[in-house]
């Protein structure tokens, strides 16, 4: 099949992909089809039908006042929004305006199915094979910036007896609102921000039991602490070694926001150690007792959505991809952003800038014949 040459293909138009696209535009890259001139070209491919990345799917009760501290995209502030406004409405509208304002020409819905090497030439092209509304299409890119996030890969741990449970099990990925649980006993699993937020709202309408493998870490000092920097450095080291990345929030812990403090004050944040098995009507606790449950809500995080990179064979035996300063160690034409240490809005912004800087430096060296 014929492929369309492009200098940089960005896969994904969430926070990370848009940040990268913005920096590419600033460095003179123009969207394919742009008649402005002969400069280097870029294309941004996104699987969603609408702008907003994962934000458009977050549950309705996640408000601008309760998101875990978002960071705006580079060069354009989030317009003031009511703290009560749903983040899944405000942020997609902001992303849409951002794409328009900076002329990022995102192509959607375009799902990338595979990225593979065109040939054995290490300076050759990477083929980005996709499925568009009009059929299959392939781009031949000098560089690929992968920014595909985690939303489509909710993580469910395996626990003995999981299939025997007579009640309902769901992941936060599929959470709609607390009202659907009224009158039912809900076990919430997880120690991250989502678990605590959902515990807060579900415990206001029904009986809950909160469990997690590790006791939640509460950061009393806010976000910009040495501990946070250290935690991010630890995730960075994991991805350098090719280990599967841990989420940054899982290592930084949650902070005492006003809503979390209020939940604690009304006695909603009572933590228990993880159950050891699931039974038909409940969960077996480490002391052998069975706690009744109608619903188990897994707030157990997400994994990187990178199956389309499999043809590049970059997975280490430990299950991760070796990444250093956003670049894949074993495929220097590939950058992973919003991955590992950059899996937050501020991290995604920085990673987008870092990847583009590296590409610009490589291109200078290449065109100078170094
Ligand atoms: P996404 O926003 O998921 O964007 C990825 C894009 O890539 C999507 O549009 C997707 O359709 C597209 N895509 C995926 N696969 C393909 C493919 N094969 N082909 C083409 N396109 C593809 N971080 C914060 O800093 N503050 C918060 O308050 C916060 N709250 C969060 C709440 C929840 C419930 C979760 C799960 C995460 C939260 N995060 C938060 C972390 C958040 O994931 C990041 O901050 C950031 O929004 C992720 O941006 P991203 O661009 O990496 O991914």
């Amino acid at each position: 099949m014929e492929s369309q040459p492009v200098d940089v293909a960005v896969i994904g138009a969430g926070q990370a992909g848009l940040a990268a696209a913005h920096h590419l535009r600033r460095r003179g890259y123009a969207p394919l089809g742009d008649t402005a001139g002969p400069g280097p070209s870029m294309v941004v491919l996104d699987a969603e039908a609408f702008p907003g990345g994962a934000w458009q799917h977050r549950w309705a009760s996640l408000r601008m006042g309760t998101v875990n501290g978002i960071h705006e995209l580079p060069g354009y502030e989030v317009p003031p929004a009511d703290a009560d406004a749903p983040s899944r409405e405000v942020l997609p509208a902001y992303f849409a305006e951002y794409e328009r304002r900076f002329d990022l020409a995102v192509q959607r819905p375009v799902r990338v199915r595979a990225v593979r090497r065109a040939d054995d030439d290490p300076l050759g092209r990477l083929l980005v094979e996709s499925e568009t509304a009009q059929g299959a299409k392939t781009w031949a890119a000098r560089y690929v910036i992968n920014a595909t996030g985690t939303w489509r890969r909710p993580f469910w741990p395996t626990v003995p007896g999981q299939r025997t449970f007579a009640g309902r099990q769901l992941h936060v990925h599929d959470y709609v609102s607390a009202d659907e649980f009224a009158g039912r006993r809900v076990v919430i699993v997880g120690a991250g921000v989502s678990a605590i937020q959902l515990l807060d709202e579900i415990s206001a309408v029904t009986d809950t039991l909160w469990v997690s493998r590790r006791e939640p870490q509460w950061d009393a000092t806010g976000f910009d602490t040495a501990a946070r920097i250290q935690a991010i450095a630890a995730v960075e080291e994991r991805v350098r070694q090719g280990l599967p990345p841990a989420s940054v929030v899982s290592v930084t812990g949650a902070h005492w926001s006003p809503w979390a403090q209020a939940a604690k004050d009304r006695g909603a944040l009572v933590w228990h150690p993880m159950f050891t098995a699931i039974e038909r009507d409940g969960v077996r606790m480490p002391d052998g007792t069975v706690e009744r449950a109608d619903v188990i809500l897994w707030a157990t995080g997400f994994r990187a959505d990178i199956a389309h990179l499999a043809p590049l064979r970059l997975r280490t035996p430990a299950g991760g991809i070796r990444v250093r300063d956003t670049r894949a160690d074993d495929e220097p034409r590939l950058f992973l952003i919003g991955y590992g240490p950059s899996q937050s809005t501020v991290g995604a912004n920085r990673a987008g800038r870092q990847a583009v800087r590296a590409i610009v430096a490589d291109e200078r060296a290449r065109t100078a014949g170094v």
Side-chain angles (χ1 to χ4, degrees):
M1 189 199 303
E2 233 175 77
S3 57
Q4 179 164 21
V6 66
D7 288 297
V8 182
V10 179
I11 311 175
Q15 181 102 13
L18 291 189
H22 171 82
H23 289 291
L24 285 168
R25 293 293 279 137
R26 289 192 58 198
R27 299 296 193 122
Y29 283 74
L32 278 177
D34 194 314
T35 50
S41 59
M42 61 185 265
V43 66
V44 186
L45 309 172
D46 189 53
E48 296 289 344
F50 301 100
W55 289 109
Q56 61 198 293
H57 300 299
R58 304 255 154 92
W59 49 93
S61 58
L62 188 64
R63 308 274 151 171
M64 293 305 285
T66 50
V67 288
N68 186 26
I70 54 154
H71 204 274
E72 53 220 11
L73 285 157
Y76 174 50
E77 285 181 15
V78 183
D82 198 324
D84 266 345
S87 58
R88 73 173 187 186
E89 288 172 17
V90 175
L91 291 168
Y94 165 64
F95 279 35
E97 172 57 19
Y98 191 87
E99 289 178 14
R100 198 196 54 73
R101 186 174 275 246
F102 294 106
D103 184 22
L104 303 181
V106 177
Q107 300 204 17
R108 59 164 64 88
V110 177
R111 175 163 297 284
V112 172
R113 294 291 178 199
V115 178
R116 63 181 87 245
R117 298 178 182 90
D119 50 39
D120 292 338
D121 178 359
L123 294 177
R125 303 262 175 166
L126 295 176
L127 299 180
V128 178
E129 299 172 1
S130 76
E131 211 174 270
T132 75
Q134 289 75 41
K137 173 153 186 177
T138 300
W139 283 268
R142 279 191 203 286
Y143 303 93
V144 170
I145 300 181
N146 191 81
T148 47
T150 59
W151 183 254
R152 285 194 346 131
R153 282 206 59 213
F155 172 68
W156 297 63
T158 314
V159 178
Q162 209 151 6
R163 287 174 189 278
T164 59
F165 187 56
R168 176 175 174 208
Q169 296 186 64
L170 76 163
H171 190 277
V172 294
H173 177 272
D174 302 310
Y175 176 80
V176 178
S177 91
D179 299 340
E180 60 182 314
F181 302 123
R184 301 162 82 190
R185 185 155 203 242
V186 183
V187 176
I188 297 168
V189 188
V193 182
S194 307
I196 298 164
Q197 278 182 353
L198 297 186
L199 173 66
D200 176 29
E201 61 186 59
I202 297 170
S203 65
V205 299
T206 196
D207 185 22
T208 52
L209 177 78
W210 179 29
V211 302
S212 65
R213 245 178 245 294
R214 278 179 300 148
E215 194 156 357
Q217 298 299 307
W218 288 96
D219 172 9
T221 51
F223 274 128
D224 289 320
T225 60
R228 180 172 169 81
I229 292 167
Q230 221 174 26
I232 292 173
V235 179
E236 205 161 344
E237 187 49 36
R238 281 183 67 86
V239 301
R240 266 195 207 133
Q241 292 177 15
L243 294 164
S247 100
V248 171
V249 175
S250 76
V251 289
T252 54
H255 82 136
W256 285 115
S257 56
W259 63 263
Q261 189 62 52
K264 183 183 179 211
D265 293 346
R266 68 177 176 81
L269 303 188
V270 182
W271 176 82
H272 298 271
M274 181 67 183
F275 47 77
T276 54
I278 299 177
E279 316 226 332
R280 201 186 126 72
D281 300 309
V283 293
R284 186 164 295 277
M285 303 304 285
D287 65 3
T289 57
V290 173
E291 289 277 352
R292 195 182 62 75
D294 301 308
V295 177
I296 302 175
L297 174 58
W298 297 94
T300 40
F302 295 80
R303 295 291 182 261
D305 187 0
I306 51 173
H308 54 285
L309 302 179
L312 296 172
R313 300 189 171 281
L314 299 173
R315 286 247 189 219
T316 64
I321 292 182
R322 264 190 289 270
V323 177
R324 187 180 301 267
D325 299 336
T326 73
R327 194 195 288 260
D329 264 5
D330 303 311
E331 177 43 85
R333 294 163 290 184
L334 174 70
F335 294 79
L336 286 102
I337 63 175
Y339 178 81
S342 61
Q343 210 190 105
S344 68
T345 53
V346 64
N349 280 2
R350 284 199 198 117
R353 189 180 59 217
Q354 195 174 28
V356 171
R357 274 194 186 148
I359 289 173
V360 169
D362 271 22
E363 280 301 278
R364 278 209 188 110
R366 188 180 68 83
T367 49
V370 177

